[in-house]
Amino acid sequence: MTVADLGIDRLRTLLNRFELGVERVADDQSIPGSFWGDAEAGLRGHTLYVRADTPVHSALHEAGHFVCMDDARRRGLDTNAGGDYDEENAVCYWQILAADLLAGHDRARMCAEMDAWGYTFRLGSAAAWFAEDAEDARTWLAEAGLIEPAGTRLRYALRR
């Protein structure tokens, strides 16, 4: 699913609750702050950049980096979100939960999109990882105050 398929206003409404603005880039322009290039979302400061053809999984993954990084990294954010292995897993978990907050999307679709893009998990799929092997990511997010303790819902918060 692309941003055009979903509708940019749905993405904006969700991500504004996390202090992250969403800017649409013209279809014939490169995306500022994109680490991967092509249609992949970009981050600079408190802005997520997308085009119509940007995959929703890319937008939510980069948004997850924004939410999961600390204030010091967020202040200097330009293209490379950085973070370590544990944070990367937390970001993947966060984006799956976030998909449920977008009308027209859900966690099953997000997991399928992650698999199709090439995310790799020990159990072979994003859905299997999320259901059976993501305790470390849930714990990381809960300790950072970003999800409810049960690990099933996001809090509208940023890591500080």
Side-chain angles (χ1 to χ4, degrees):
M1 178 179 282
T2 66
V3 169
D5 297 330
L6 176 72
I8 196 167
D9 289 338
R10 289 179 184 167
L11 193 60
R12 279 189 180 123
T13 298
L14 173 61
L15 297 183
N16 283 337
R17 296 192 71 181
F18 293 97
E19 302 175 32
L20 184 61
V22 178
E23 293 294 326
R24 188 178 183 283
V25 177
D27 294 342
D28 61 344
Q29 299 294 311
S30 61
I31 298 175
S34 177
F35 184 80
W36 297 103
D38 296 323
E40 301 300 320
L43 279 173
R44 285 194 176 154
H46 283 246
T47 304
L48 178 77
Y49 294 93
V50 298
R51 287 192 316 227
D53 63 340
T54 297
V56 173
H57 75 82
S58 176
L60 289 184
H61 189 82
E62 295 307 313
H65 274 296
F66 178 83
V67 168
C68 290
M69 67 179 56
D70 61 27
D71 284 333
R73 281 191 16 241
R74 202 175 294 114
R75 276 192 297 278
L77 180 57
D78 186 354
T79 308
N80 187 353
D84 60 16
Y85 176 84
D86 291 333
E87 184 178 314
E88 184 67 27
N89 284 340
V91 167
C92 290
Y93 195 92
W94 186 96
Q95 83 186 79
I96 293 168
L97 288 180
D100 276 343
L101 301 176
L102 290 171
H105 213 294
D106 61 28
R107 69 179 67 172
R109 184 172 190 148
M110 177 58 66
C111 288
E113 291 175 2
M114 292 168 74
D115 292 342
W117 191 83
Y119 292 72
T120 58
F121 297 96
R122 229 181 356 230
L123 297 182
S125 74
W129 169 79
F130 185 83
E132 302 171 34
D133 193 34
E135 183 62 33
D136 57 336
R138 279 190 301 277
T139 299
W140 192 101
L141 288 164
E143 288 177 355
L146 303 177
I147 61 173
E148 297 295 328
T152 58
R153 291 188 349 185
L154 295 181
R155 289 186 170 157
Y156 292 105
L158 301 177
R159 180 176 168 212
R160 298 295 174 190

